[in-house]
C-alpha cells in the first residue's frame, strides 16, 4: 500500500442559498470531485487499521531474501481503546427541567432511541470516526407506532454532508451515492426535497480497476420527491474539529515502529544465517554457494603456501539501544494519540492516585474524550432536529430541544470517595440536591435521580436549624 500524506478529511461547502432543479446536477458534480479525495483517504485509513500498512511493501537491496515485514498494529490498539473509553455506557437524554411532563417525555425519547437501534449505531459511528475522522448516521421514518424511526450507521465513503459557507455553516444537503447495475446513483436530501440522480454506465474494466473522480459524474434527474421530514436525515460526526482520525497524528511514528521491529527481526535472522568469508582457498570445481548453503558445510583447499581459513561475518544489533529507541517512539505515539501508558507505571512509587492519574496519561485520555464529546453533542443537535420533526408530524409529540440534553457517562465510579465528600460540602453550603449531584459528578441525570430519591433526600437534607447571617463591614480575606 502506497503511503499517503494525511491532514484530515476536507469539509465540503457550497455557496448556494438553495438547491434547486436548475443547479443540483452541476453542484453535485462539483462536490463529488471534492469528496473523492475523502473517499481515498478513508479507505486508506480503514485498511491501515485492519493491518494493511506500508511496511508490507518493504524491499531490501542487500540480502533481499531476509526481509521481514512486521506489522505492530498500534492503530488498531488506539481505535479499540478510544471506542471503549469514550462510550462506556449508551449515551442517553436527560431532562433539563424539573417538570414531570418533560421528564416523562425524555424517558419516552430514550425508549424510542433504544428501539430504533441508536445505541448500536452510535457504537458503529464512534468506531468510524476514530478510524477515519468521520462517522455518519442516517435516520429513516417508519410506519410503526412502536418504532417511529430507525437509526443506521452508514459508510462515510459513500454518504456525506455539504455545508453552507454562510456564518454558522449549517448543513445544506446530505448526499448518498451507490453504484447499482454499473451505474452511479446519487440521492440528495435537502430540507425541502429529495433529488434522485444518476450518471452514465461505468464499464466493468473501470470498476475492476477502481473508479476515479472522473467516474463520479451525474447527468440526469430521475425523480424529485418532497422531504416529508423537513430536516436533512444524514448527520456527520467527527473525532475533532480537524476531522482527523484518532491515530492520524502519530501514523508516521507507527510506521517507524514497524520498520524498526522488521529490521530487528532481520538482524536476528541474519545472525542465524550469517555470511561466510573464505580466505586463501578455492572450492571444488562445480560447487556453488547454493550447494554449500544446502549442505551446511564446505571443504577447503589451500591455495599455494597460504593456509585456507573460513570466518563468519557477524555484527550483532545492539538490542538495548534499539529497545530504548522503540520505547521512546512508543511513548511519543501514545502521547500524540492521548492513550495512557503502562510503561510509566512500571515499578513502585509513593505517588498518590491523582499523581498517577496525571503521570500515566489518564488525564490526557479524559481530556481528549471530553473534546470528542463536545463534537458528538454538537452533531447530535442535528439528530435531535430530525427525530423531533418525525415525532411531531406523527404523534404531535411536543417537547423543545432545550428541555433535554445528551449525557455521556464515563468513569462514573472513579474517585467515589472524593465525589461524595464534594457532595456533602455542597450540601452544607446550601446547594440544591440537583446542583449538588451535578457539580460533584455523582449523577449523570441529576433531575431524574433526585426525583426517584426524593423522599430519602428529604430525610437527609432536612434541617430545622435557622442560620443567622451578620453583615461585616469591609470584609477581607487573609492568609
Amino acid at each position: 500500500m502506497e503511503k499517503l500524506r494525511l491532514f484530515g478529511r476536507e469539509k465540503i461547502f457550497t455557496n448556494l442559498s438553495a438547491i434547486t432543479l436548475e443547479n443540483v446536477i452541476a453542484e453535485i458534480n462539483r462536490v463529488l470531485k471534492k469528496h473523492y479525495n475523502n473517499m481515498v483517504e478513508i479507505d486508506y485509513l480503514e485498511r491501515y487499521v485492519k493491518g494493511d500498512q506500508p511496511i508490507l511493501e518493504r524491499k531490501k537491496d542487500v540480502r533481499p531474501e531476509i526481509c521481514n515485514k512486521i506489522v505492530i498494529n498500534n492503530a488498531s490498539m488506539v481505535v479499540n481503546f478510544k471506542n471503549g473509553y469514550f462510550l462506556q455506557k449508551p449515551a442517553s437524554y436527560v431532562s433539563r427541567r424539573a417538570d414531570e411532563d418533560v421528564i416523562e417525555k425524555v424517558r419516552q425519547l430514550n425508549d424510542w432511541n433504544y428501539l430504533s437501534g441508536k445505541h448500536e449505531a452510535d457504537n458503529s459511528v464512534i468506531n468510524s470516526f476514530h478510524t477515519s475522522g468521520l462517522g455518519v448516521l442516517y435516520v429513516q421514518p417508519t410506519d410503526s407506532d412502536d418504532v417511529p424511526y430507525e437509526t443506521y450507521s452508514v459508510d462515510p465513503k459513500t454518504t456525506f454532508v455539504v455545508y453552507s459557507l454562510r456564518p454558522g455553516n449549517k448543513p445544506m444537503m446530505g448526499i448518498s451515492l451507490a453504484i447499482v447495475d454499473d451505474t452511479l446513483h446519487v440521492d440528495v436530501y435537502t430540507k425541502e426535497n429529495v433529488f434522485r440522480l444518476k450518471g452514465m454506465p461505468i464499464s466493468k474494466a473501470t470498476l475492476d480497476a477502481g473508479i476515479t473522480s472522473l467516474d463520479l459524474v451525474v447527468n440526469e434527474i430521475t425523480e424529485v420527491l418532497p422531504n416529508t421530514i423537513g430536516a436533512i436525515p444524514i448527520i456527520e460526526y467527527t473525532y475533532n474539529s480537524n476531522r482527523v482520525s484518532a491515530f492520524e497524528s502519530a501514523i508516521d511514528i507507527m510506521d517507524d515502529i514497524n520498520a524498526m521491529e522488521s529490521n530487528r527481526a532481520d538482524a536476528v535472522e541474519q545472525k542465524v544465517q550469517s555470511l561466510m568469508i573464505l580466505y586463501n582457498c578455492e572450492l571444488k570445481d562445480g560447487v556453488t554457494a547454493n550447494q554449500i548453503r544446502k549442505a551446511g558445510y564446505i571443504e577447503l583447499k589451500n591455495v599455494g603456501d597460504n593456509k585456507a581459513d573460513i570466518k563468519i561475518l557477524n555484527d550483532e544489533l545492539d538490542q538495548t539501544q534499539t529497545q530504548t529507541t522503540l520505547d521512546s517512539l512508543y511513548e511519543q505515539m501514545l502521547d500524540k494519540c492521548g492513550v495512557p501508558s503502562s510503561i510509566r507505571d512500571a515499578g513502585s512509587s509513593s505517588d498518590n492516585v491523582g499523581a498517577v492519574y496525571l503521570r500515566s496519561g489518564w488525564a490526557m485520555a479524559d481530556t481528549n474524550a471530553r473534546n470528542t464529546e463536545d463534537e458528538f453533542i454538537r452533531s447530535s443537535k442535528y439528530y435531535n432536529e430530525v427525530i423531533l420533526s418525525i415525532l411531531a408530524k406523527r404523534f404531535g409529540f411536543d417537547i423543545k430541544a432545550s428541555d433535554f440534553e445528551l449525557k455521556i457517562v464515563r468513569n462514573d465510579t472513579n474517585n467515589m470517595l472524593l465525589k461524595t465528600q464534594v457532595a456533602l460540602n455542597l450540601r452544607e453550603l446550601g446547594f440544591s440536591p440537583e446542583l449538588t449531584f451535578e457539580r460533584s459528578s455523582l449523577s449523570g441525570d441529576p433531575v431524574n435521580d433526585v426525583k426517584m430519591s426524593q423522599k430519602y433526600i428529604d430525610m437527609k437534607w432536612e434541617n430545622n436549624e435557622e442560620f443567622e447571617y451578620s453583615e461585616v463591614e469591609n470584609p477581607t480575606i487573609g492568609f
Side-chain angles (χ1 to χ4, degrees):
M1 172 169 76
E2 183 181 353
K3 186 170 183 175
L4 293 182
R5 308 305 300 175
L6 301 168
F7 304 98
R9 315 293 76 74
E10 181 181 2
K11 190 172 184 177
I12 302 174
F13 296 97
T14 179
N15 60 0
L16 297 178
S17 58
I19 306 299
T20 64
L21 277 170
E22 292 72 26
N23 61 28
V24 65
I25 289 180
E27 189 64 9
I28 292 303
N29 285 332
R30 183 187 71 83
V31 299
L32 286 179
K33 296 291 185 294
K34 289 182 172 293
H35 179 65
Y36 178 77
N37 292 330
N38 285 348
M39 292 174 63
V40 172
E41 293 178 357
I42 292 170
D43 181 66
Y44 177 89
L45 289 165
E46 288 177 346
R47 288 188 293 118
Y48 194 98
V49 169
K50 293 176 182 177
D52 185 5
Q53 300 182 10
I55 192 66
L56 297 178
E57 303 297 324
R58 179 182 185 229
K59 295 180 180 178
K60 282 180 62 182
D61 294 328
V62 179
R63 300 200 71 182
E65 74 278 8
I66 300 179
C67 184
N68 290 282
K69 303 170 183 179
I70 297 178
V71 175
I72 308 295
N73 201 342
N74 287 308
S76 178
M77 178 272 294
V78 170
V79 170
N80 289 337
F81 170 80
K82 294 283 187 176
N83 290 346
Y85 189 74
F86 177 72
L87 201 61
Q88 297 177 2
K89 294 182 178 180
S92 59
Y93 294 127
V94 299
S95 174
R96 300 182 70 243
R97 305 277 185 269
D99 181 272
E100 181 65 31
D101 184 56
V102 171
I103 293 173
E104 182 57 36
K105 288 179 178 178
V106 170
R107 188 180 295 113
Q108 181 64 66
L109 272 179
N110 284 324
D111 289 343
W112 278 326
N113 269 354
Y114 170 75
L115 294 172
S116 77
K118 176 66 161 53
H119 297 166
E120 295 81 359
D122 279 348
N123 287 331
S124 182
V125 162
I126 288 165
N127 180 72
S128 182
F129 67 58
H130 282 148
T131 298
S132 65
L134 292 177
V136 182
L137 275 185
Y138 173 71
V139 185
Q140 176 177 287
T142 71
D143 296 328
S144 170
D145 289 340
D146 294 331
V147 188
Y149 58 89
E150 293 176 339
T151 307
Y152 303 99
S153 171
V154 291
D155 189 348
K157 296 193 295 295
T158 58
T159 313
F160 63 101
V161 177
V162 178
Y163 300 88
S164 171
L165 271 174
R166 300 188 178 193
N169 303 134
K170 299 292 185 182
M172 285 292 293
M173 54 180 166
I175 298 173
S176 176
L177 58 101
I179 295 176
V180 181
D181 297 330
D182 300 339
T183 301
L184 176 66
H185 293 262
V186 178
D187 291 344
V188 181
Y189 297 86
T190 67
K191 288 189 175 182
E192 297 80 22
N193 298 299
V194 179
F195 299 92
R196 302 197 189 282
L197 316 175
K198 75 173 186 177
M200 296 292 290
I202 303 173
S203 68
K204 186 177 184 303
T206 300
L207 291 174
D208 292 341
I211 62 172
T212 67
S213 60
L214 299 177
D215 302 308
L216 299 180
V217 177
V218 294
N219 57 8
E220 180 184 350
I221 301 175
T222 60
E223 192 175 13
V224 181
L225 301 170
N227 185 348
T228 57
I229 299 175
I232 298 172
I234 295 173
I235 304 101
E236 267 187 348
Y237 290 76
T238 59
Y239 172 62
N240 59 25
S241 59
N242 293 324
R243 299 162 73 89
V244 299
S245 73
F247 61 89
E248 195 169 324
S249 61
I251 200 167
D252 288 337
I253 299 177
M254 293 178 181
D255 290 337
D256 288 344
I257 291 174
N258 287 342
M260 290 195 68
E261 289 289 6
S262 299
N263 286 328
R264 201 180 200 180
D266 286 353
V268 174
E269 193 170 344
Q270 287 169 179
K271 167 71 175 176
V272 177
Q273 302 181 33
S274 298
L275 294 173
M276 293 183 294
I277 302 176
L278 306 179
Y279 288 91
N280 302 321
C281 65
E282 59 184 23
L283 301 176
K284 291 181 178 181
D285 293 338
V287 176
T288 65
N290 284 334
Q291 291 173 330
I292 294 173
R293 183 178 299 168
K294 290 179 180 179
Y297 76 98
I298 59 174
E299 296 178 359
L300 300 180
K301 178 181 177 182
N302 291 342
V303 178
D305 295 332
N306 296 322
K307 182 181 178 181
D309 192 12
I310 181 172
K311 294 186 181 297
I312 301 297
L313 183 61
N314 183 13
D315 188 12
E316 294 188 33
L317 183 71
D318 189 328
Q319 295 288 352
T320 302
Q321 290 185 2
T322 303
Q323 188 60 49
T324 300
T325 304
L326 278 171
D327 288 345
S328 175
L329 288 174
Y330 188 72
E331 285 295 300
Q332 291 179 52
M333 179 202 72
L334 295 180
D335 284 342
K336 283 182 172 291
C337 297
V339 176
S341 169
S342 59
I343 296 176
R344 296 177 192 148
D345 285 337
S348 60
S349 73
S350 59
D351 293 344
N352 59 27
V353 174
V356 173
Y357 185 76
L358 289 169
R359 183 190 68 224
S360 59
W362 285 102
M364 181 60 70
D366 197 56
T367 300
N368 284 0
R370 288 177 184 274
N371 291 338
T372 304
E373 183 178 322
D374 290 340
E375 291 291 314
F376 194 88
I377 291 174
R378 179 186 61 79
S379 295
S380 292
K381 292 177 181 178
Y382 296 117
Y383 175 82
N384 297 343
E385 179 184 345
V386 175
I387 64 171
L388 290 182
S389 177
I390 293 173
L391 295 173
K393 293 177 185 296
R394 171 69 67 81
F395 306 116
F397 191 77
D398 182 23
I399 187 173
K400 297 179 181 178
S402 59
D403 288 337
F404 63 93
E405 62 182 339
L406 188 72
K407 183 67 72 172
I408 297 176
V409 178
R410 189 168 43 252
N411 299 331
D412 54 343
T413 59
N414 282 6
N415 296 327
M416 187 59 73
L417 181 62
L418 177 62
K419 292 176 182 178
T420 52
Q421 186 61 56
V422 171
L424 290 172
N425 291 339
L426 292 175
R427 190 193 74 166
E428 292 299 318
L429 288 172
F431 278 61
S432 70
E434 291 85 359
L435 282 175
T436 299
F437 278 25
E438 180 183 5
R439 299 292 173 84
S440 64
S441 301
L442 272 177
S443 170
D445 187 357
V447 173
N448 191 49
D449 287 350
V450 168
K451 179 179 178 297
M452 293 176 64
S453 308
Q454 191 64 59
K455 66 177 182 179
Y456 305 102
I457 291 175
D458 288 343
M459 293 168 58
K460 289 293 183 181
W461 244 258
E462 188 177 302
N463 190 345
N464 296 322
E465 296 181 12
E466 295 183 0
F467 295 91
E468 295 182 359
Y469 298 91
S470 59
E471 295 184 0
V472 180
E473 295 183 0
N474 302 322
T476 59
I477 299 176
F479 296 93

